[in-house]
Amino acid sequence: MSRKIFVNLPVKDLDRSVDFFTKCGFSFNPQFTDENATCMVVSDDIYVMLLVEPFFKSFSKREIPDTAQTSEVLVALSADSREDVDELVDTALTAGAGAHGDTQEEGPMYGRAFTDPDGHIWEIMWMDPAAVAG
């Protein structure tokens, strides 16, 4: 069995988050969705659990950081091309995301970032496969 990753993120308004990420092209697993949480499907092995803040707090005694002031996590996703980076970030911005930082062009890497409605930072990156071919 391959390893899977489940990133858990606190959200203030679950419906708003589902609407935003749906507009960005993601789907959700209804089997793991209720009024407290939803399972956003990123790929066959990557999932993001969006948890309303009171439910999120039941998993950790630590405070939820104020994402306007601090960064609790940077979620980085790969893209298939530069165009895919631009398409996803532009779609997110149209859906209400905030722009985050400058476009990154460092050698074979290209990336852009946005903040979702709860202030979580999403970096979308592409790396030229010829640069990493061995």
Side-chain angles (χ1 to χ4, degrees):
M1 181 170 151
S2 66
R3 290 193 187 266
K4 299 184 183 300
I5 185 168
F6 293 84
V7 176
N8 294 276
L9 294 177
V11 299
K12 293 183 184 338
D13 182 329
L14 189 59
D15 291 335
R16 176 185 70 177
S17 294
V18 169
D19 181 58
F20 171 77
F21 285 110
T22 298
K23 288 176 181 173
C24 291
F26 294 98
S27 62
F28 298 85
N29 183 334
Q31 185 178 4
F32 301 104
T33 298
D34 61 19
E35 68 279 356
N36 290 311
T38 190
C39 177
M40 184 171 82
V41 179
V42 176
S43 74
D44 289 341
D45 294 316
I46 304 169
Y47 306 90
V48 177
M49 298 300 300
L50 302 173
L51 311 173
V52 294
E53 288 183 346
F55 188 56
F56 183 91
K57 287 179 180 181
S58 71
F59 294 97
S60 175
K61 294 185 185 330
R62 293 183 179 184
E63 290 298 314
I64 295 172
D66 176 359
T67 56
Q69 302 297 320
T70 62
S71 296
E72 91 241 87
V73 66
L74 299 174
V75 180
L77 295 178
S78 64
D80 290 331
S81 67
R82 292 172 63 102
E83 294 78 19
D84 286 345
V85 170
D86 290 335
E87 182 179 343
L88 178 52
V89 174
D90 290 342
T91 298
L93 294 173
T94 299
H100 183 77
D102 297 325
T103 298
Q104 300 173 41
E105 290 194 74
E106 298 177 22
M109 293 179 58
Y110 176 78
R112 292 173 59 198
F114 64 88
T115 57
D116 69 22
D118 289 284
H120 307 295
I121 301 168
W122 294 77
E123 294 182 324
I124 313 303
M125 303 295 294
W126 172 77
M127 182 177 289
D128 183 348
V132 292

